Amino acid sequence: MDTNTTHHTSPALRIGDHLPDFEARSTVGPVRLSDFRGRWLVLFSHPADFTPVCTTEFVELARNAGEFERRDCALMAISIDSLFSHFAWLRMIRDRFDIEVRFPIVEDPTMVIGRAFGMVGPQDHDSAAVRTTFFVDPDGVIRAMTSYPANVGRSIPEMLRTLDALQAVDRGEGLAPANWQQGGTLLKVPTTSLDDVFAAKDGTSWFLQENSK
Ligand code: BEZ
């Protein structure tokens, strides 16, 4: 990523876009996004260290690190706070909640990454407004994204469900309906043939049908 040209100018990323590469300092040493290719990745921004909602998110993510690992999914966080702020916050989390956050937290003090990724708006002077999450597939393509306000924490079960659904549809098992959970029934991909539409046993089964496998 050319940070000089993306600053203030890049449009927000969308589903289907490749995540631009970056290198930055993190709590586990230097990280390069492209080193995460080949695995799923949940890349998420948080407004600030040492804030109540963010702290609960990090505690829950760390407690569920094994669930992400089981889905071959890495976690990476990013905020404008300095590396030493991240360290102090993780130490506080360990001391109070008895859990070590071991996934990388990137420092982005100039917001150059946050702006380039659309996590921070071009006119924003800080990153306090939003919690953005990108679900990135092993090819580095954004497959889902969410945006929450600072005062509402993300649901870790919903993050895991989204990953499960993306992985199930990638295996060609069908489409994930509303409220689908791992092990639940998927839907058939609808036909694109008019002959199939007319041959269907009723007026809806040609487009809405469970996948019996
Ligand atoms: C929080 O994580 O609690 C928070 C972060 C930024 C603004 C307000 C609340």
Side-chain angles (χ1 to χ4, degrees):
M1 183 171 69
D2 178 348
T3 51
N4 291 322
T5 55
T6 50
H7 193 72
H8 287 293
T9 58
S10 61
L13 292 167
R14 300 162 67 104
I15 289 175
D17 288 345
H18 272 93
L19 212 52
D21 201 9
F22 68 79
E23 281 185 64
R25 290 204 307 180
S26 88
T27 49
V28 301
V31 286
R32 190 171 40 193
L33 199 59
S34 49
D35 289 343
F36 289 75
R37 296 273 156 81
R39 302 186 70 197
W40 286 81
L41 172 69
V42 171
L43 174 70
F44 60 101
S45 66
H46 65 282
D49 296 349
F50 294 102
T51 51
V53 177
C54 296
T55 302
T56 61
E57 288 185 330
F58 275 67
V59 169
E60 287 308 313
L61 284 163
R63 286 183 177 148
N64 283 279
E67 291 297 323
F68 287 92
E69 206 47 50
R70 254 190 287 290
R71 290 160 174 82
D72 196 23
C73 180
L75 292 167
M76 190 191 296
I78 180 167
S79 86
I80 62 167
D81 301 277
S82 73
L83 183 61
F84 293 98
S85 168
H86 292 336
F87 283 150
W89 188 40
L90 297 191
R91 174 64 199 241
M92 185 283 294
I93 288 175
R94 207 278 304 269
D95 291 353
R96 171 148 176 202
F97 297 95
D98 198 25
I99 185 87
E100 294 185 358
V101 176
R102 289 292 186 167
F103 54 81
I105 308 179
V106 165
E107 66 168 1
D108 184 26
T110 60
M111 296 193 287
V112 68
I113 302 170
R115 284 191 206 283
F117 281 58
M119 291 164 154
V120 181
Q123 312 303 329
D124 293 346
H125 298 296
D126 62 40
S127 66
V130 288
R131 314 173 177 278
T132 302
T133 309
F134 293 117
F135 296 81
V136 185
D137 73 14
D139 295 325
V141 174
I142 299 169
R143 299 290 301 281
M145 52 199 289
T146 65
S147 186
Y148 279 54
N151 52 6
V152 176
R154 287 162 282 205
S155 162
I156 281 60
E158 175 58 14
M159 283 187 184
L160 292 167
R161 190 197 76 94
T162 302
L163 269 175
D164 286 337
L166 290 168
Q167 293 180 354
V169 299
D170 275 10
R171 288 192 297 269
E173 293 171 8
L175 310 172
N179 298 338
W180 179 86
Q181 298 283 346
Q182 181 76 289
T185 306
L186 290 150
L187 302 175
K188 272 193 176 153
V189 177
T191 182
T192 52
S193 153
L194 184 59
D195 287 339
D196 290 345
V197 174
F198 288 141
K201 65 178 175 0
D202 57 46
T204 56
S205 56
W206 63 270
F207 76 92
L208 177 54
Q209 201 171 9
E210 290 186 347
N211 200 351
S212 46
K213 288 189 210 147

